[in-house]
Coordinates of all heavy atoms in Angstrom, one line a residue:
M1255 N 3.0 408.3 205.8 CA 2.8 406.9 206.2 C 3.2 406.7 207.7 O 2.4 406.1 208.4 CB 3.7 406.0 205.3 CG 3.7 404.6 205.7 SD 2.2 403.8 205.0 CE 2.5 402.2 205.3
I1256 N 4.3 407.2 208.1 CA 4.7 407.1 209.5 C 3.7 407.8 210.4 O 3.4 407.4 211.5 CB 6.1 407.7 209.7 CG1 7.2 406.7 209.2 CG2 6.4 408.1 211.1 CD1 7.3 405.5 210.1
R1257 N 3.2 409.0 209.9 CA 2.2 409.7 210.7 C 1.0 408.9 211.0 O 0.5 408.9 212.2 CB 1.8 411.0 210.0 CG 1.8 412.2 210.8 CD 1.4 413.4 210.0 NE 2.5 414.2 209.6 CZ 2.5 415.2 208.9 NH1 1.4 415.6 208.4 NH2 3.6 415.9 208.6
W1258 N 0.5 408.2 210.0 CA -0.7 407.3 210.2 C -0.4 406.2 211.2 O -1.3 405.8 212.0 CB -1.2 406.8 208.9 CG -2.0 407.8 208.2 CD1 -1.6 408.5 207.1 CD2 -3.3 408.4 208.6 NE1 -2.6 409.4 206.7 CE2 -3.6 409.4 207.6 CE3 -4.1 408.2 209.6 CZ2 -4.8 410.1 207.7 CZ3 -5.3 408.9 209.7 CH2 -5.6 409.9 208.7
M1259 N 0.8 405.6 211.1 CA 1.1 404.5 212.0 C 1.2 405.0 213.4 O 0.7 404.3 214.4 CB 2.5 403.9 211.6 CG 2.4 403.1 210.3 SD 3.9 402.5 209.7 CE 4.5 401.5 211.1
I1260 N 1.7 406.2 213.6 CA 1.7 406.8 215.0 C 0.3 407.1 215.5 O 0.0 406.8 216.7 CB 2.6 408.1 215.0 CG1 4.1 407.7 214.7 CG2 2.4 408.9 216.3 CD1 4.9 408.9 214.5
V1261 N -0.5 407.6 214.6 CA -1.9 407.9 215.0 C -2.7 406.6 215.4 O -3.4 406.5 216.4 CB -2.7 408.6 213.9 CG1 -4.2 408.7 214.1 CG2 -2.1 410.0 213.8
I1262 N -2.5 405.5 214.6 CA -3.1 404.3 214.9 C -2.6 403.7 216.2 O -3.4 403.2 217.0 CB -3.0 403.3 213.7 CG1 -3.8 403.8 212.5 CG2 -3.3 401.9 214.1 CD1 -3.5 403.0 211.2
F1263 N -1.3 403.8 216.4 CA -0.7 403.3 217.6 C -1.3 404.0 218.8 O -1.7 403.4 219.8 CB 0.8 403.4 217.6 CG 1.5 403.0 218.9 CD1 1.6 401.7 219.2 CD2 2.0 404.0 219.7 CE1 2.2 401.3 220.4 CE2 2.6 403.7 220.9 CZ 2.7 402.3 221.3
L1264 N -1.3 405.3 218.8 CA -1.8 406.1 219.9 C -3.3 405.9 220.1 O -3.8 405.8 221.3 CB -1.6 407.6 219.6 CG -0.1 408.0 219.7 CD1 0.0 409.5 219.3 CD2 0.5 407.8 221.1
A1265 N -4.1 405.7 219.1 CA -5.5 405.3 219.2 C -5.7 404.0 219.9 O -6.5 403.9 220.8 CB -6.2 405.3 217.8
L1266 N -4.9 403.0 219.5 CA -5.0 401.7 220.2 C -4.6 401.8 221.7 O -5.2 401.1 222.5 CB -4.1 400.7 219.4 CG -4.6 400.2 218.1 CD1 -3.6 399.4 217.4 CD2 -6.0 399.5 218.2
V1267 N -3.6 402.6 222.0 CA -3.2 402.7 223.4 C -4.3 403.4 224.2 O -4.6 403.0 225.3 CB -1.8 403.5 223.5 CG1 -1.6 404.0 224.9 CG2 -0.7 402.7 222.9
L1268 N -4.9 404.4 223.6 CA -6.0 405.2 224.2 C -7.2 404.3 224.4 O -7.8 404.3 225.5 CB -6.4 406.4 223.4 CG -7.4 407.3 224.0 CD1 -7.0 407.9 225.3 CD2 -7.9 408.3 223.0
I1269 N -7.5 403.5 223.4 CA -8.7 402.6 223.6 C -8.4 401.5 224.6 O -9.3 401.2 225.5 CB -9.0 401.9 222.2 CG1 -9.6 403.0 221.3 CG2 -10.0 400.8 222.4 CD1 -9.7 402.5 219.8
S1270 N -7.2 401.0 224.7 CA -6.9 399.9 225.7 C -6.9 400.6 227.1 O -7.2 399.9 228.0 CB -5.6 399.2 225.4 OG -4.5 400.1 225.5
W1271 N -6.5 401.8 227.2 CA -6.5 402.5 228.5 C -7.9 402.8 228.9 O -8.2 402.7 230.1 CB -5.7 403.8 228.4 CG -5.7 404.6 229.6 CD1 -5.0 404.3 230.8 CD2 -6.4 405.8 229.9 NE1 -5.2 405.2 231.7 CE2 -6.1 406.2 231.2 CE3 -7.3 406.5 229.1 CZ2 -6.6 407.3 231.7 CZ3 -7.8 407.7 229.7 CH2 -7.5 408.1 231.0
M1272 N -8.8 403.1 228.0 CA -10.2 403.5 228.4 C -11.2 402.3 228.5 O -12.3 402.5 228.9 CB -10.7 404.5 227.3 CG -10.1 405.8 227.4 SD -10.8 407.0 226.3 CE -12.5 407.1 226.9
T1273 N -10.7 401.1 228.1 CA -11.6 399.9 228.1 C -12.2 399.7 229.5 O -13.5 399.5 229.6 CB -10.9 398.7 227.6 OG1 -10.5 399.0 226.2 CG2 -11.8 397.5 227.6
P1274 N -11.5 399.7 230.6 CA -12.1 399.5 231.9 C -13.2 400.5 232.2 O -14.2 400.2 232.8 CB -11.0 399.5 232.9 CG -9.8 399.2 232.1 CD -10.0 399.7 230.7
L1275 N -12.9 401.8 231.9 CA -13.8 402.8 232.2 C -15.1 402.6 231.3 O -16.2 402.8 231.9 CB -13.2 404.2 231.8 CG -14.1 405.4 231.9 CD1 -14.6 405.6 233.4 CD2 -13.5 406.6 231.3
L1276 N -15.0 402.3 230.1 CA -16.1 402.1 229.2 C -17.0 400.9 229.7 O -18.2 400.9 229.6 CB -15.7 401.9 227.8 CG -15.1 403.2 227.1 CD1 -14.6 402.8 225.7 CD2 -16.1 404.3 227.1
R1277 N -16.3 399.9 230.2 CA -17.0 398.7 230.7 C -17.9 399.1 231.9 O -19.0 398.6 232.1 CB -16.0 397.6 231.1 CG -15.4 396.9 229.9 CD -16.0 395.6 229.7 NE -15.6 395.0 228.5 CZ -15.3 393.8 228.3 NH1 -15.2 393.0 229.3 NH2 -15.0 393.3 227.1
R1278 N -17.3 399.9 232.8 CA -18.1 400.4 234.0 C -19.3 401.2 233.6 O -20.3 401.2 234.3 CB -17.2 401.2 234.9 CG -16.4 400.3 235.8 CD -15.7 401.1 236.9 NE -14.3 401.1 236.5 CZ -13.4 402.1 236.6 NH1 -13.8 403.2 237.2 NH2 -12.2 402.0 236.2
L1279 N -19.2 401.9 232.4 CA -20.3 402.7 231.9 C -21.4 401.8 231.2 O -22.4 402.3 230.8 CB -19.8 403.8 231.0 CG -19.0 404.9 231.7 CD1 -18.4 405.8 230.6 CD2 -19.8 405.6 232.7
G1280 N -21.1 400.6 231.0 CA -22.0 399.7 230.3 C -21.7 399.4 228.9 O -22.4 398.6 228.3
L1281 N -20.7 400.0 228.3 CA -20.4 399.8 226.9 C -19.6 398.4 226.8 O -18.8 398.1 227.7 CB -19.5 400.9 226.3 CG -20.2 402.2 226.1 CD1 -19.3 403.3 225.7 CD2 -21.3 402.1 225.1
G1282 N -19.9 397.7 225.9 CA -19.3 396.3 225.8 C -20.3 395.2 226.2 O -20.0 394.1 226.1
R1283 N -21.4 395.7 226.8 CA -22.4 394.7 227.3 C -23.7 395.0 226.7 O -24.8 394.7 227.2 CB -22.5 394.7 228.8 CG -21.2 394.2 229.4 CD -21.4 394.2 230.9 NE -21.3 395.6 231.4 CZ -21.5 396.0 232.6 NH1 -21.9 395.2 233.5 NH2 -21.4 397.3 232.9
L1284 N -23.7 395.7 225.6 CA -25.0 396.0 224.9 C -25.5 394.9 224.1 O -24.8 393.9 223.8 CB -24.8 397.3 224.0 CG -24.4 398.5 224.7 CD1 -24.0 399.6 223.7 CD2 -25.5 399.0 225.6
P1285 N -26.8 394.9 223.7 CA -27.4 393.7 223.0 C -26.7 393.3 221.7 O -26.7 392.1 221.3 CB -28.8 394.2 222.7 CG -29.1 395.2 223.7 CD -27.8 395.9 224.0
G1286 N -26.1 394.2 221.0 CA -25.4 393.9 219.7 C -24.0 393.5 219.8 O -23.3 393.2 218.8
D1287 N -23.4 393.5 221.0 CA -22.0 393.1 221.2 C -21.9 391.6 221.3 O -22.6 391.0 222.1 CB -21.5 393.8 222.5 CG -21.5 395.3 222.4 OD1 -21.4 395.8 221.3 OD2 -21.5 396.0 223.4
L1288 N -21.0 391.1 220.5 CA -20.9 389.6 220.4 C -19.8 389.1 221.3 O -18.6 389.6 221.2 CB -20.6 389.2 219.0 CG -21.7 389.7 217.9 CD1 -21.2 389.3 216.6 CD2 -23.0 389.1 218.2
H1289 N -20.0 388.0 222.1 CA -19.1 387.3 222.9 C -19.2 385.8 222.5 O -20.3 385.3 222.5 CB -19.3 387.4 224.4 CG -19.2 388.8 224.9 ND1 -18.0 389.3 225.4 CD2 -20.1 389.8 225.0 CE1 -18.2 390.5 225.8 NE2 -19.5 390.9 225.6
F1290 N -18.1 385.2 222.1 CA -18.1 383.8 221.9 C -16.8 383.1 222.0 O -15.7 383.8 222.0 CB -18.7 383.5 220.4 CG -17.9 384.1 219.3 CD1 -16.9 383.4 218.7 CD2 -18.2 385.4 218.9 CE1 -16.2 384.0 217.7 CE2 -17.5 386.0 217.9 CZ -16.5 385.3 217.3
K1291 N -16.8 381.8 222.2 CA -15.5 381.1 222.3 C -15.3 380.3 221.1 O -16.2 379.6 220.6 CB -15.6 380.1 223.5 CG -15.3 380.8 224.8 CD -15.1 379.8 225.9 CE -14.8 380.6 227.2 NZ -14.4 379.7 228.3
C1292 N -14.1 380.3 220.5 CA -13.8 379.5 219.3 C -12.3 379.2 219.4 O -11.5 380.1 219.7 CB -14.1 380.4 218.1 SG -13.9 379.5 216.6
F1293 N -12.0 378.0 219.1 CA -10.6 377.5 219.1 C -9.9 377.7 220.5 O -8.7 378.1 220.5 CB -9.8 378.1 218.0 CG -10.3 377.9 216.6 CD1 -10.8 379.0 215.9 CD2 -10.4 376.7 216.1 CE1 -11.4 378.8 214.7 CE2 -11.0 376.4 214.9 CZ -11.4 377.5 214.1
G1294 N -10.6 377.6 221.6 CA -10.0 377.8 222.9 C -9.8 379.2 223.3 O -9.2 379.4 224.4
R1295 N -10.2 380.2 222.6 CA -10.1 381.6 222.9 C -11.4 382.2 223.0 O -12.4 381.8 222.4 CB -9.3 382.3 221.9 CG -7.8 381.9 221.9 CD -7.0 382.8 220.9 NE -7.0 384.2 221.5 CZ -6.3 385.2 220.9 NH1 -5.6 384.9 219.9 NH2 -6.3 386.3 221.5
E1296 N -11.5 383.3 223.8 CA -12.7 384.0 224.0 C -12.6 385.2 223.0 O -11.6 386.0 223.1 CB -12.9 384.5 225.4 CG -14.3 385.1 225.6 CD -14.6 385.3 227.1 OE1 -14.1 384.6 227.9 OE2 -15.3 386.3 227.3
W1297 N -13.6 385.4 222.2 CA -13.6 386.5 221.2 C -14.7 387.5 221.6 O -15.7 387.1 222.0 CB -13.8 386.0 219.8 CG -12.7 385.1 219.3 CD1 -12.7 383.7 219.6 CD2 -11.6 385.4 218.6 NE1 -11.5 383.2 219.0 CE2 -10.8 384.3 218.4 CE3 -11.1 386.6 218.1 CZ2 -9.7 384.2 217.7 CZ3 -9.9 386.6 217.4 CH2 -9.2 385.4 217.2
F1298 N -14.4 388.8 221.3 CA -15.3 389.8 221.7 C -15.4 390.8 220.5 O -14.4 391.3 220.0 CB -14.9 390.6 222.9 CG -15.7 391.8 223.2 CD1 -17.0 391.7 223.5 CD2 -15.0 393.0 223.3 CE1 -17.7 392.8 223.8 CE2 -15.8 394.2 223.6 CZ -17.1 394.1 223.8
I1299 N -16.6 391.0 219.9 CA -16.8 391.9 218.8 C -17.8 393.0 219.2 O -19.0 392.7 219.3 CB -17.2 391.2 217.5 CG1 -16.2 390.1 217.2 CG2 -17.4 392.2 216.4 CD1 -16.6 389.2 216.0
P1300 N -17.4 394.2 219.6 CA -18.3 395.2 220.1 C -19.0 396.0 219.0 O -18.8 397.2 218.8 CB -17.4 396.1 220.9 CG -16.1 396.0 220.2 CD -16.0 394.6 219.7
L1301 N -19.9 395.4 218.3 CA -20.6 396.1 217.2 C -21.5 397.3 217.6 O -21.3 398.4 217.1 CB -21.5 395.1 216.4 CG -20.8 394.0 215.6 CD1 -21.7 393.1 215.0 CD2 -19.8 394.6 214.6
T1302 N -22.4 397.0 218.6 CA -23.2 398.1 219.0 C -22.5 399.2 219.7 O -22.8 400.4 219.5 CB -24.3 397.5 219.9 OG1 -25.0 396.5 219.3 CG2 -25.4 398.6 220.3
S1303 N -21.5 398.8 220.5 CA -20.7 399.8 221.3 C -20.0 400.7 220.3 O -19.8 401.9 220.5 CB -19.8 399.2 222.2 OG -20.5 398.5 223.2
T1304 N -19.4 400.1 219.2 CA -18.7 400.9 218.2 C -19.6 401.9 217.5 O -19.2 403.0 217.3 CB -18.0 399.9 217.2 OG1 -17.2 399.0 217.9 CG2 -17.2 400.7 216.2
I1305 N -20.8 401.4 217.1 CA -21.7 402.3 216.4 C -22.1 403.5 217.4 O -22.2 404.6 217.0 CB -22.9 401.5 215.9 CG1 -22.5 400.6 214.8 CG2 -24.0 402.5 215.5 CD1 -23.6 399.6 214.4
L1306 N -22.4 403.1 218.6 CA -22.8 404.2 219.6 C -21.7 405.2 219.8 O -21.9 406.4 219.8 CB -23.2 403.5 220.9 CG -23.7 404.4 222.0 CD1 -25.0 405.1 221.6 CD2 -23.9 403.7 223.3
L1307 N -20.4 404.7 220.0 CA -19.3 405.7 220.2 C -19.1 406.5 218.9 O -18.7 407.7 219.0 CB -18.1 404.9 220.6 CG -18.1 404.3 222.0 CD1 -16.8 403.5 222.2 CD2 -18.2 405.4 223.0
S1308 N -19.3 405.9 217.8 CA -19.1 406.6 216.5 C -20.1 407.8 216.4 O -19.8 408.9 216.0 CB -19.2 405.7 215.3 OG -19.1 406.4 214.1
L1309 N -21.4 407.5 216.7 CA -22.4 408.5 216.6 C -22.2 409.6 217.7 O -22.3 410.8 217.4 CB -23.8 407.8 216.9 CG -24.3 407.0 215.8 CD1 -25.6 406.3 216.3 CD2 -24.6 407.8 214.6
L1310 N -21.7 409.2 218.8 CA -21.4 410.2 219.9 C -20.2 411.1 219.4 O -20.3 412.3 219.6 CB -21.0 409.5 221.2 CG -20.7 410.4 222.4 CD1 -21.9 411.2 222.8 CD2 -20.2 409.5 223.5
A1311 N -19.2 410.5 218.8 CA -18.0 411.3 218.4 C -18.4 412.2 217.2 O -17.9 413.4 217.2 CB -16.9 410.3 217.9
S1312 N -19.2 411.8 216.3 CA -19.6 412.6 215.2 C -20.5 413.8 215.7 O -20.5 414.9 215.2 CB -20.3 411.8 214.1 OG -21.5 411.3 214.5
A1313 N -21.4 413.5 216.7 CA -22.2 414.5 217.2 C -21.4 415.6 217.9 O -21.6 416.8 217.8 CB -23.2 414.0 218.2
I1314 N -20.4 415.2 218.7 CA -19.5 416.1 219.4 C -18.7 416.9 218.3 O -18.5 418.1 218.5 CB -18.6 415.4 220.3 CG1 -19.4 414.8 221.5 CG2 -17.4 416.2 220.8 CD1 -18.6 413.9 222.5
A1315 N -18.2 416.2 217.3 CA -17.4 416.9 216.3 C -18.3 418.0 215.5 O -17.7 419.1 215.2 CB -16.9 415.9 215.2
R1316 N -19.5 417.7 215.3 CA -20.4 418.7 214.6 C -20.7 419.9 215.6 O -20.9 421.0 215.1 CB -21.7 418.1 214.2 CG -21.5 417.2 213.0 CD -22.8 416.7 212.5 NE -22.6 415.8 211.4 CZ -23.4 415.6 210.5 NH1 -24.6 416.1 210.5 NH2 -23.2 414.7 209.5
W1317 N -20.8 419.6 216.8 CA -21.1 420.6 217.8 C -20.0 421.6 218.1 O -20.2 422.7 218.4 CB -21.5 419.9 219.1 CG -22.5 420.7 220.0 CD1 -23.4 421.6 219.5 CD2 -22.5 420.7 221.4 NE1 -24.1 422.1 220.6 CE2 -23.6 421.6 221.7 CE3 -21.8 420.0 222.3 CZ2 -23.9 421.8 223.1 CZ3 -22.2 420.3 223.7 CH2 -23.2 421.1 224.0
I1318 N -18.8 421.1 217.9 CA -17.6 421.9 218.2 C -17.3 422.8 217.0 O -17.4 423.3 216.2 CB -16.4 421.0 218.5 CG1 -16.6 420.4 219.8 CG2 -15.1 421.9 218.5 CD1 -15.5 419.5 220.3

């Protein structure tokens, strides 16, 4: 249980660290990524970027 919590924490830290780099590469601005305002907050749901990164990760994992 603790191991999974550490893995999830490290993944979130890594994702937050890589977000500016991914934005410069164009991820987060793809046609399926949703941006909207609701209840005074801006919400961002990166559907297409998530699918693209998942496909890329699985392709790399199969190649290695």
Side-chain angles (χ1 to χ4, degrees):
M1255 177 78 171
I1256 282 288
R1257 227 182 255 177
W1258 283 109
M1259 290 175 59
I1260 292 171
V1261 167
I1262 290 171
F1263 174 76
L1264 290 176
L1266 288 173
V1267 168
L1268 182 66
I1269 289 169
S1270 68
W1271 178 73
M1272 290 185 62
T1273 299
L1275 174 66
L1276 294 174
R1277 288 252 170 138
R1278 276 188 254 146
L1279 293 174
L1281 292 172
R1283 293 181 287 170
L1284 297 173
D1287 296 335
L1288 305 174
H1289 295 269
F1290 59 92
K1291 283 190 175 186
C1292 186
F1293 303 115
R1295 289 188 66 174
E1296 187 171 330
W1297 297 85
F1298 172 61
I1299 303 173
L1301 292 176
T1302 306
S1303 295
T1304 303
I1305 292 170
L1306 183 65
L1307 289 175
S1308 175
L1309 289 172
L1310 181 67
S1312 66
I1314 290 173
R1316 286 185 184 202
W1317 206 33
I1318 292 178

